C-alpha cells in the first residue's frame, strides 16, 4: 500500500495508507457501486503514559482526533489504534469509556425508538462502571489495597469518565477492542517482597499478568477474523516472566487479521423515515416560533397601551380642525422614554422562553 500522509506526537504515530488497485473491482464496490476502498486506512501506533489516567485519556483522544482528521470522506475512516496502552481497559476505567459497549443496526425499526435491548445495554454499561470505578480509580492512583479513593478523587474520576463519553458522542465515534489476552508478565510491583527476609523454601513470589497492549478498531468498516494467541498459550513465559531466553521483549507481541467492509448505509425505508422526521420537526419548530413571536408581540402591545391609559397619555382625537390648523411653536424632540417596568419584564421573559424553545 502507498502511504498518503502521517502525523505524530510523543505518544502516537498516525499514518494513512492508500490501497493498491489489484484489479478486483467487483469486490471493491459497495451496493451503490462506489469504490469504498479508495478511502485510506488509518493506522496508529500508540504508547500511553504509565502513571496518569488523565494523561492516557488526553493522549488517546489526540490520537483519535488525528485518525479522524485523515479521512478523505465525510465518514470516519477505517482506523486501527494499536500498541502499549499501559492500562488494562477494564470496566470502570476512564480509558475504557472510549470503547463502544453495544451495537447499533441502521434499520427503520431501530430508528423509531430505543429498544428494550438497547436500554438494557445502556443500563448494564452504567452498572459496570459504578461497580468498578472505585477499584479502577484506586489502581490508577497506585493506592495500597487497604486505602480507598477519597470523595474528591472519585468526583475527579467521574468527571474524566464523563468527558470521554462526551467526546465519543460529539464525534459519533464507535471503537472496539480485539479480545487479546495478557501481554505482560512479571513480579507484581504491588506485592510485598518477602523473599529477602524469609527462607527461599518458605516464601516464593508469584508472577502477575496484565493486559497492557491492545488493538482498537472502528467496527463500522472493520471486522476481526483472527488473532494471535498471547500468554495463555505460553506457559514458559508465565513461569519465568518477560523478557526471557525465548522472547527478548518485556511485552508479548499481538496481532489480528481483519476484513474490510463499506460504510453502513441507511436502508431506503430508514432514509425515508429520517427525512420525514426531520421535515416534521422543522415544520413544528417553525410553527412554535411563529406562534411565540406573534403572541409576545400582542402581549407587549397590550402592556404598552395599558401603560398609556394609566398615565393619561392617549391623545384626544376630538380636537377641532381649527385648533389643529393653528400655528404651533416648534419644540425640541423629546428623548424617547424607556419602556415601563412591566414591558421590560415581559421582553425578558419572552427572550428567555425563546431561548428555551430554540434549545428544544
Amino acid at each position: 500500500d502507498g502511504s498518503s500522509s502521517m502525523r505524530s506526537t510523543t505518544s502516537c504515530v498516525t499514518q494513512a495508507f492508500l490501497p493498491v488497485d489489484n484489479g478486483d473491482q467487483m469486490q471493491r464496490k459497495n451496493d451503490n457501486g462506489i469504490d469504498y476502498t479508495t478511502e485510506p486506512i488509518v493506522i496508529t501506533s500508540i504508547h500511553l503514559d504509565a502513571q496518569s489516567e488523565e494523561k492516557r485519556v488526553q493522549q488517546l483522544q489526540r490520537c483519535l482526533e488525528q485518525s479522524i482528521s485523515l479521512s478523505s470522506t465525510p465518514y470516519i475512516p477505517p482506523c486501527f489504534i494499536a500498541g502499549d496502552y499501559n492500562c488494562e481497559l477494564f470496566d470502570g476505567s476512564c480509558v475504557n469509556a472510549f470503547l463502544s459497549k453495544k451495537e447499533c443496526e441502521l434499520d427503520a425499526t431501530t430508528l423509531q425508538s430505543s429498544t428494550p435491548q438497547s436500554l438494557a445495554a445502556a443500563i448494564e454499561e452504567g452498572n459496570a462502571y459504578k461497580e468498578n470505578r472505585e477499584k479502577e480509580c484506586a489502581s490508577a492512583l497506585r493506592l495500597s489495597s487497604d486505602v480507598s479513593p477519597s470523595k474528591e478523587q472519585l468526583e475527579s474520576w467521574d468527571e474524566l469518565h464523563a468527558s470521554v463519553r462526551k467526546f465519543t458522542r460529539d464525534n459519533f465515534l464507535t471503537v472496539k477492542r480485539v479480545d487479546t489476552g495478557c501481554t505482560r508478565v512479571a513480579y507484581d510491583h504491588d506485592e510485598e517482597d518477602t523473599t529477602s527476609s524469609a527462607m527461599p523454601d518458605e516464601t516464593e513470589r508469584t508472577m502477575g499478568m496484565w493486559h497492557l497492549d491492545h488493538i482498537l478498531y472502528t467496527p463500522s468498516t472493520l471486522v476481526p477474523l483472527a488473532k494471535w494467541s498471547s500468554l495463555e498459550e505460553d506457559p514458559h513465559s508465565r513461569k519465568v516472566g518477560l523478557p526471557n531466553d525465548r522472547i527478548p521483549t518485556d511485552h508479548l507481541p499481538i496481532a489480528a487479521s481483519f476484513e474490510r467492509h463499506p460504510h453502513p448505509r441507511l436502508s431506503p425505508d430508514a432514509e425515508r423515515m429520517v427525512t420525514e422526521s426531520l421535515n416534521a420537526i422543522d415544520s413544528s419548530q417553525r410553527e412554535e416560533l411563529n406562534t411565540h413571536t406573534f403572541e409576545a408581540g400582542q402581549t407587549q402591545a397590550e402592556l404598552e397601551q395599558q401603560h398609556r391609559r394609566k398615565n393619561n397619555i392617549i391623545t384626544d382625537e376630538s380636537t377641532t380642525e381649527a385648533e389643529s390648523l393653528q400655528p404651533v411653536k416648534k419644540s425640541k424632540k423629546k428623548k424617547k422614554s424607556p419602556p415601563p417596568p412591566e414591558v421590560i419584564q415581559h421582553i425578558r421573559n419572552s427572550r428567555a422562553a425563546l431561548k428555551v424553545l430554540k434549545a428544544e
Side-chain angles (χ1 to χ4, degrees), residues 61-283:
Q61 182 170 317
R62 283 198 298 269
C63 293
L64 289 168
E65 289 171 340
Q66 289 180 7
S67 299
I68 295 171
S69 70
L70 292 175
S71 176
S72 60
T73 72
Y75 300 99
I76 291 177
C79 294
F80 297 101
I81 308 96
D84 183 357
Y85 281 68
N86 266 313
C87 61
E88 301 200 75
L89 293 181
F90 287 153
D91 285 331
S93 71
C94 295
V95 179
N96 173 273
F98 284 102
L99 302 181
S100 172
K101 308 299 191 304
K102 55 184 180 295
E103 300 287 351
C104 178
E105 296 295 334
L106 296 177
D107 56 29
T109 303
T110 305
L111 289 166
Q112 284 181 335
S113 62
S114 297
T115 63
Q117 291 82 359
S118 65
L119 292 174
I123 293 172
E124 182 180 352
E125 177 183 348
N127 290 339
Y129 171 69
K130 291 177 182 177
E131 291 172 3
N132 295 282
R133 62 191 272 268
E134 187 170 338
K135 175 183 175 183
E136 291 302 309
C137 179
S139 175
L141 295 174
R142 301 290 178 90
L143 302 179
S144 58
S145 58
D146 58 342
V147 177
S148 298
S150 66
K151 179 181 177 181
E152 291 74 18
Q153 289 171 329
L154 286 174
E155 287 176 351
S156 297
W157 190 263
D158 289 339
E159 289 176 3
L160 184 61
H161 187 275
S163 73
V164 174
R165 300 305 295 154
K166 183 178 185 302
F167 170 78
T168 59
R169 288 194 302 269
D170 291 348
N171 289 276
F172 305 98
L173 184 63
T174 302
V175 178
K176 288 197 170 185
R177 170 188 173 273
V178 178
D179 187 24
T180 51
C182 293
T183 58
R184 174 81 173 113
V185 56
Y187 289 121
D188 193 341
H189 55 73
D190 291 330
E191 181 180 314
E192 185 179 356
D193 184 1
T194 58
T195 57
S196 59
S197 59
M199 296 296 292
D201 294 338
E202 296 176 355
T203 305
E204 182 179 353
R205 294 183 68 189
T206 58
M207 289 284 180
M209 295 197 300
W210 300 270
H211 306 76
L212 298 183
D213 302 271
H214 309 278
I215 301 173
L216 270 53
Y217 65 97
T218 48
S220 59
T221 50
L222 298 168
V223 178
L225 302 177
K227 63 181 180 181
W228 278 5
S229 61
S230 46
L231 286 171
E232 69 272 10
E233 300 292 336
D234 188 354
H236 178 70
S237 293
R238 292 202 308 269
K239 181 179 179 181
V240 302
L242 290 172
N244 56 48
D245 56 322
R246 300 177 184 177
I247 300 176
T249 176
D250 62 342
H251 287 235
L252 198 68
I254 56 174
S257 61
F258 290 80
E259 181 177 71
R260 182 176 183 179
H261 288 193
H263 287 285
R265 298 294 199 275
L266 291 174
S267 67
D269 288 342
E271 185 175 354
R272 174 183 54 78
M273 184 177 296
V274 169
T275 303
E276 291 176 353
S277 297
L278 291 175
N279 290 337
I281 292 171
D282 182 67
S283 177

